[in-house]
Amino acid sequence: MAEKKQAPLNKLLTIYFYHTRLTRESYEEWKEYKFPGHILYGLPLLENYGIHSVMHKCKYFSGRLKLMLYATKEILFCKEKYDVLYATSFRGIEPVIFLRALGLYRKPIVIWHHTAVVTNPKPWREQISRLFYKGIDQMFLFSRKLIQDSQKTRKAPSHKLKLIHWGPDLPFYDHLLAEMPDRKPEGFISTGKENRDVDTLLQAFAATNEKLDLYIAVSCGNINYKKIIDPYALPDSIRIHYTDGVIPYELGKLVARKSCIVICCLDFPYTVGLTTLVEAFALGIPVICSRNPNFEIDIDHAADRLRNKHFSAGGRECIAIHAFRALIQMMRRNGRNSPAYRTCTHSDQAFRAFAPALNDFTGFNRGNRALDNYDVDIALGLGRT
């Protein structure tokens, strides 16, 4: 049987790439190993597989309404032609999704949904929510649990929900570590800004003599971390660094100089702390992490994670950080060979599901020339050519 000829991959599909951060600038930094590709949700590799991107011109707004008005205007009045609206979240594009649900916006909408779909207790809001989800053609989620919880609401049918595994941009972190050949890791570090449990973190470390550097925003969402932290009389071993636009490259170098990263999160129904976790694996750094049943990564029994079920600093479950020195040494030796890291690198197959999922929508405008026939085996944001 003659070998099937592969169709040309150039300009098979054009997407409008919506991100809530500066996209083009980050993409240029990615080329220079100054920005991790996974935070660009596959953008660096799309062109290689026939997917051209029209990049959204991101602007920051303090209010949600201003963001929605700006994003909606940019999308609806975009002069460049595109086939699919691809968004890293629905934040800011809610009006466009409603227009899609009402049949007034003709392009398919594909988004990353970072939480499970939930049921609103107020009937009128629930009806609005159901209309909203009718306007989304495909949702990518980070774990099976998020998908299962979403299915219970009956707002989004199973065929709209697709699991995409999350993982780090390995070449980025290899390059970063290569620039620090003489690093001598020492102390603990905690980073991230979404729904961090700083009360538990500070109380736990204040009960030890261990050094902790906390890098966190002054506020994020409805949480003002500075107001939480200010009343504490912290020992010299705990240092607070309020971040204001710290780029991932610089933060990555700070993390690489530490012995252990602590991910202490509040109990929220999504994969809070996941990106910090996989980045720690990429750097080969041990992790102390709050339990999160929404994680897809199988790290329950791995030796490179110390698990705490929302410990309280004053109770019997208070983490005895100073007792973990020997185990931390073992975790550092395990590094990327650990069972948890091997599970994490399922993301190497992410693009196999990701690119065809986008190209499934080529049927709307381009005769259904999808990428399903091609061997697309590359990680979401990880590969570099």
Side-chain angles (χ1 to χ4, degrees):
M1 184 176 178
E3 183 179 351
K4 188 175 181 179
K5 187 176 180 180
Q6 180 169 308
L9 290 180
N10 46 321
K11 294 190 178 179
L12 203 64
L13 175 72
T14 299
I15 64 170
Y16 187 101
F17 184 88
Y18 176 81
H19 203 339
T20 52
R21 69 182 308 145
L22 296 174
T23 304
R24 187 172 298 280
E25 294 83 348
S26 299
Y27 180 44
E28 294 302 318
E29 290 176 353
W30 173 84
K31 295 177 182 178
E32 302 298 325
Y33 293 90
K34 300 296 184 182
F35 193 89
H38 55 276
I39 300 180
L40 287 171
Y41 292 79
L43 172 66
L45 303 178
L46 296 179
E47 196 74 40
N48 296 344
Y49 295 91
I51 303 175
H52 174 66
S53 299
V54 176
M55 299 184 196
H56 176 70
K57 298 176 183 178
C58 176
K59 287 186 180 180
Y60 296 109
F61 297 93
S62 56
R64 187 73 167 262
L65 179 59
K66 290 183 178 179
L67 172 63
M68 287 192 291
L69 291 174
Y70 170 76
T72 300
K73 177 181 70 69
E74 288 293 307
I75 293 169
L76 295 183
F77 295 98
C78 178
K79 294 181 180 179
E80 298 183 68
K81 292 184 179 181
Y82 62 92
D83 306 303
V84 178
L85 171 56
Y86 168 57
T88 61
S89 76
F90 62 67
R91 187 177 187 273
I93 64 168
E94 293 92 338
V96 183
I97 294 174
F98 277 115
L99 290 174
R100 173 71 173 160
L102 295 170
L104 301 176
Y105 177 76
R106 302 294 298 275
K107 309 293 185 183
I109 298 177
V110 181
I111 70 164
W112 284 84
H113 203 280
H114 297 255
T115 66
V117 179
V118 298
T119 300
N120 197 292
K122 295 184 177 181
W124 66 273
R125 286 191 174 183
E126 177 65 9
Q127 291 305 312
I128 293 175
S129 179
R130 288 186 178 278
L131 175 63
F132 177 80
Y133 282 101
K134 286 182 180 179
I136 301 173
D137 295 87
Q138 183 99 63
M139 290 189 287
F140 298 142
L141 295 95
F142 294 108
S143 73
R144 290 180 180 87
K145 187 176 187 304
L146 293 180
I147 291 177
Q148 291 165 358
D149 291 345
S150 298
Q151 290 171 330
K152 294 175 184 177
T153 67
R154 298 183 179 180
K155 291 183 184 179
S158 299
H159 71 270
K160 284 190 175 184
L161 309 175
K162 185 175 290 291
L163 170 65
I164 302 291
H165 296 276
W166 198 237
D169 181 345
L170 299 183
F172 169 83
Y173 289 103
D174 287 338
H175 189 271
L176 185 148
L177 291 173
E179 294 181 330
M180 307 169 62
D182 300 323
R183 69 187 181 103
K184 297 178 180 179
E186 182 181 1
F188 293 79
I189 188 169
S190 184
T191 66
K193 62 180 182 179
E194 287 188 6
N195 298 312
R196 277 358 190 219
D197 185 0
V198 293
D199 276 317
T200 297
L201 179 70
L202 296 179
Q203 291 174 44
F205 271 87
T208 76
N209 293 320
E210 299 296 335
K211 294 180 179 179
L212 169 70
D213 284 275
L214 171 59
Y215 289 84
I216 198 164
V218 172
S219 64
C220 181
N222 296 324
I223 303 176
N224 189 311
Y225 293 112
K226 193 173 188 304
K227 286 185 178 180
I228 297 173
I229 295 171
D230 281 349
Y232 282 93
L234 297 173
D236 293 339
S237 58
I238 299 177
R239 294 182 293 184
I240 310 297
H241 311 267
Y242 290 109
T243 60
D244 182 17
V246 174
I247 63 173
Y249 174 73
E250 296 297 335
L251 194 58
K253 290 196 294 185
L254 293 170
V255 173
R257 293 190 176 94
K258 296 300 180 179
S259 299
C260 182
I261 185 166
V262 185
I263 308 170
C264 193
C265 299
L266 297 168
D267 185 13
F268 274 79
Y270 74 107
T271 51
V272 55
L274 177 60
T275 297
T276 307
L277 179 65
V278 299
E279 290 172 348
F281 286 148
L283 290 168
I285 295 177
V287 176
I288 299 172
C289 184
S290 297
R291 175 182 295 178
N292 190 335
N294 295 292
F295 284 164
E296 182 69 17
I297 299 171
D298 183 13
I299 51 180
D300 284 351
H301 304 292
D304 62 355
R305 178 176 183 254
L306 297 173
R307 214 168 139 182
N308 60 289
K309 187 177 181 180
H310 233 63
F311 56 81
S312 65
R316 294 177 60 185
E317 294 184 62
C318 177
I319 194 164
I321 296 162
H322 58 276
F324 295 143
R325 282 299 187 192
L327 185 53
I328 285 174
Q329 293 301 320
M330 179 182 68
M331 292 191 295
R332 186 178 299 111
R333 288 195 299 271
N334 285 347
R336 295 185 185 178
N337 294 320
S338 68
Y341 181 77
R342 288 196 296 272
T343 306
C344 161
T345 54
H346 278 313
S347 62
D348 290 342
Q349 283 77 44
F351 212 78
R352 185 186 297 278
F354 173 72
L358 283 179
N359 273 281
D360 282 344
F361 295 105
T362 55
F364 282 83
N365 299 295
R366 296 178 182 270
N368 201 27
R369 294 169 58 196
L371 282 180
D372 294 338
N373 297 326
Y374 307 132
D375 183 18
V376 184
D377 187 7
I378 195 160
L380 175 60
L382 306 189
R384 291 172 182 265
T385 57

